[in-house]
Amino acid sequence: MITLKQVSVFTLFLILFLFIFNQSSKYTINDNILRDIQSVKLRVAIDRARLSLEDPNLNYSGNEEALNEYIFSLNDFLKQKHSRVSLSEVSSKALYAQENEIVEVLSGTTYETYLRFKINDDHKLPLYIVPFIFAVLNFAVLRSISRRRFKAQIVKSAGPVVDEKPILQIDLYSKSLHLSGDKERKVQLANKPLCFYLALIEFCESNPESPLNQNKELPEELLELADKYFHRLISLGHTIRKRPNFSNSLEKTLSEIRAALDELLSNAPELKSKYYPPKAHGEGSRSKLHSYALTSVKSEDVEIIGR
């Protein structure tokens, strides 16, 4: 069913193409008329000395029959060219243009020669089917594109809705942790646990198979990463204290990190297994074998703001 909007669009296309076609046709017609007039003027200027024109200075009335034959021969040539111009009169007396006529003047040493042309600047109406065809084609293309977009939107809306899982965002400017889907809920962390947690994330991503045991010394790479983030906090103006010893009170540091994550992930407990440094279970030998490494965190799971 054709709607009012579609009719309006087609009408707009038709008006646009009619205007363009009309203006281009008008320009072409006028250019052809001017070119043919200039061609006839040049021919008459060359032949003027032998034309039987009236010359009042010499009291010569001219040869009207010879002049008419000359005009006929010029018009026959123009007709063969399908020109829109025809020469109606050549005279040494002043001529005046009427409707659909143009008068041109050739200046001479003794007298001026006047040429009166009849012109046909009518547009050929059958050719106006061209802009109509263009309007139909453009309307058909536009309608086809609109249908495709509509179908694509239907397919997209009908497709399965995939919930985007939130990721952990750590903001060094505010020293806070929050989830990407809930920026109102933020948890602050002190300098030492914040730097250690950032270093732990980066270290575990680079060394996914490396276990971290509390009864062993911290890897140098992990300490260097923690030191890097601490100097970043200094550059952001959060602290002027010297670098803390990240090897001391490791259990306390991990407890502060877990406490912050407990608060942050209270509404999303399923994320704990990814971001939570594992706790040791049991006593003795079992706890000694325990690793607090983050084995499930990938680079795309964490966004560090102000790194």
Side-chain angles (χ1 to χ4, degrees), residues 211-259:
L212 294 173
N213 304 116
Q214 289 182 222
N215 61 328
K216 293 183 180 181
E217 292 185 0
L218 293 175
E220 285 297 323
E221 184 181 349
L222 179 59
L223 292 173
E224 289 175 3
L225 290 170
D227 191 45
K228 179 188 75 171
Y229 283 110
F230 186 77
H231 281 90
R232 179 55 181 158
L233 291 184
I234 293 175
S235 66
L236 292 175
H238 290 305
T239 182
I240 57 174
R241 297 179 181 181
K242 66 177 182 178
R243 171 188 174 277
N245 188 339
F246 291 103
S247 299
N248 290 342
S249 306
L250 179 58
E251 181 59 37
K252 180 183 178 183
T253 302
L254 290 172
S255 296
E256 292 178 5
I257 294 171
R258 292 178 186 125

Side-chain angles (χ1 to χ4, degrees), residues 15-33 35 84 121-124 127-128 130-131 134:
I15 293 173
L16 175 63
F17 285 114
L18 280 173
F19 176 78
I20 295 173
F21 183 81
N22 180 269
Q23 292 300 309
S24 60
S25 296
K26 186 176 180 181
Y27 174 81
T28 303
I29 290 171
N30 291 339
D31 184 65
N32 290 336
I33 289 174
R35 187 175 65 248
R84 291 175 172 269
D121 57 359
D122 294 337
H123 295 250
K124 295 180 179 179
L127 292 179
Y128 275 82
V130 174
F134 271 103

Side-chain angles (χ1 to χ4, degrees), residues 5-18 135 139:
K5 182 179 179 180
Q6 291 173 334
V7 172
S8 301
V9 171
F10 175 76
T11 304
L12 183 63
F13 275 133
L14 183 58
I15 293 173
L16 175 63
F17 285 114
L18 280 173
F139 177 73

